[in-house]
Amino acid sequence: MRLSTVIMAHPARAALLPALIDACAGLAPRIVFDPDPAGPPSPLRTAKRAWAAVASGATHHLVLQDDVIPVAGFVEQVCRAIEAKPEHGLALCVNWNSPHNSYYARRAAAVGSPWAPLSTTEWMPTLGLVLPADAALGLAAHLHRVPDDFVDEDEVVVEFCRIRGLPVVAALPNLVDHAGVPSLTAHYLVSHAITLPADVPPLEEGHWSAMAAAEPFLTERVTDVSRRRYTVELWDSECSLRFVRDEAGEAVEHPFSWYWYDWCPLAGIDPREIVAAYREDATPGVPPEIGLEVWAAGFLLGSDAATTMRDAPAEALSPALPPATAAGLLRGVVASWVRSGLVPEDLADLDDPARAALVDLGVAAVAAARTGRRRVPTAAAGR
């Protein structure tokens, strides 16, 4: 495996580059600047050059955007990840509140997989993306067919991968996070990785090879149009279901989702059961209406994970991640749900212990649904 690495950058963010280059020490990253920095903002314009800049003799090509923060040990982990999935596209970050992929990543974490197959219709997470070298060059040619004023290269990237039949999976935990600097293209939502570095303990050597045979079953849950597909959202302090009907031509980012209590029977769950389980052991320090929404989101996620695991044979679920890693991964994706899913006023009203208790509650809900226990463990109800 020989990795070619490029950072696509804008001169306005030059101050971010030294730290990013240091974090990539050993990969010899090259900088590809926006060829028209004074022109209308267009990541697509720079991406065309970045994906074409595959080094001679490379087997894989990594493109990082200039506003990412790699995790500690980034070089070692990205190389191990590529070695585990050499024929795949690898997304190193999933936005914590994207309509579909954020949930697919949370579901994979709830199953205990270090890999989350991604949507073939939602825009590609391109903050950090690895492709096989021949696919990278093919992508560059594909991008060059699109006018720069299209702007959003992530939508063109997913189109290319879909046409080519290239499977793309997200690494769990994510290996880069968004730095949180203002967007150059007027995207107003603040987004971070689905997991943050503090959420997960140091990874063991075999991390990226765990549950390798589970991928087809996770992929089926993403792509099988014959089943009722949905994602679970936590947004504006409410849990809701978003039914996935890309085969019907519905826009990924459409604003319609459906309140969980009214629609979770379509996911095979009685909402009264969710409410009853939550009321058995409420969470101190957390407003009950917020606690119920987080509980519902976790319960629906856990139920979906349990269904996925029942569909897969036992051998597909091994070797399993170490318990501490699996627990940290699950806690990480629930924590990012809480951080991104509550309205700012609700989040500000919670002190650190209450936020931690709310994450505990979400994790307990996942476990309750996943294992068939309907009562929240007392120890998880608060700290």
Side-chain angles (χ1 to χ4, degrees):
M1 190 273 291
R2 296 181 297 280
L3 181 60
S4 165
T5 304
V6 159
I7 299 169
M8 54 181 280
H10 192 282
R13 289 174 166 171
L16 300 175
L17 292 176
L20 181 52
I21 292 170
D22 285 347
C24 297
L27 297 180
R30 291 161 289 137
I31 310 300
V32 172
F33 280 108
D34 186 335
D36 184 16
S42 174
L44 176 60
R45 184 171 58 228
T46 311
K48 291 176 180 180
R49 301 182 71 202
W51 285 106
V54 179
S56 176
T59 60
H60 294 79
H61 188 56
L62 164 63
V63 173
L64 295 167
Q65 297 187 9
D66 57 10
D67 56 347
V68 301
I69 302 174
V71 300
F74 170 74
V75 174
E76 177 184 12
Q77 293 303 333
V78 76
C79 289
R80 286 181 175 177
I82 295 169
E83 289 169 352
K85 295 284 187 185
E87 306 299 324
H88 286 61
L90 307 182
L92 306 185
C93 179
V94 174
N95 290 343
W96 63 6
N97 54 12
S98 62
H100 296 171
N101 285 331
S102 65
Y103 180 69
Y104 297 154
R106 289 187 171 97
R107 182 169 59 200
V111 169
S113 171
W115 297 109
L118 297 182
S119 169
T120 59
T121 54
E122 183 178 290
W123 52 86
M124 184 67 66
T126 54
L127 284 174
L129 183 64
V130 179
L131 295 182
D134 62 333
L137 293 173
L139 173 59
H142 187 79
L143 293 172
H144 273 285
R145 301 188 186 106
V146 182
D148 291 345
D149 59 8
F150 189 79
V151 178
D152 293 322
E153 95 290 4
D154 48 8
E155 295 187 19
V156 187
V157 175
V158 76
E159 176 189 60
F160 168 80
C161 293
R162 182 174 65 249
I163 292 171
R164 190 181 179 100
L166 178 68
V168 182
V169 291
L172 296 174
N174 288 176
L175 297 181
V176 299
D177 186 22
H178 189 256
V181 297
S183 169
L184 297 177
T185 58
H187 289 300
Y188 64 91
L189 290 177
V190 175
S191 185
H192 287 284
I194 198 90
T195 58
L196 301 180
D199 295 327
V200 182
L203 303 181
E204 297 187 4
E205 185 172 351
H207 176 83
W208 302 109
S209 299
M211 290 182 59
E215 183 186 336
F217 301 94
L218 289 167
T219 299
E220 182 181 18
R221 299 306 299 271
V222 172
T223 60
D224 184 4
V225 298
S226 68
R227 69 167 70 230
R228 182 177 289 122
R229 295 175 297 155
Y230 61 88
T231 67
V232 181
E233 294 184 334
L234 188 63
W235 183 248
D236 281 345
S237 297
E238 286 190 351
C239 173
S240 59
L241 294 177
R242 175 183 289 266
F243 292 94
V244 179
R245 298 186 344 119
D246 43 28
E247 72 280 3
E250 291 185 352
V252 169
E253 67 274 27
H254 71 73
F256 304 110
S257 56
W258 314 98
Y259 189 59
W260 68 272
Y261 190 92
D262 301 321
W263 288 90
C264 72
L266 286 179
I269 300 173
D270 186 339
R272 295 170 297 182
E273 179 184 0
I274 296 176
V275 173
Y278 172 67
R279 286 176 177 168
E280 286 179 0
D281 210 337
T283 304
V286 173
E289 64 275 10
I290 294 176
L292 177 59
E293 300 302 309
V294 172
W295 170 263
F299 197 99
L300 289 165
L301 172 61
S303 178
D304 198 1
T307 300
T308 303
M309 295 166 78
R310 283 196 298 267
D311 288 346
E315 58 268 23
L317 304 178
S318 63
L321 293 175
T325 303
L329 197 57
L330 176 59
R331 185 173 182 82
V333 299
V334 172
S336 69
W337 227 351
V338 170
R339 295 179 191 126
S340 65
L342 300 189
V343 296
E345 295 80 6
D346 288 341
L347 199 60
D349 286 343
L350 300 175
D351 58 17
D352 288 343
R355 291 189 190 189
L358 198 55
V359 175
D360 288 342
L361 182 69
V363 170
V366 174
R370 192 174 54 187
T371 62
R373 298 194 315 271
R374 296 309 190 230
R375 181 176 175 80
V376 185
T378 302
R383 292 184 176 181

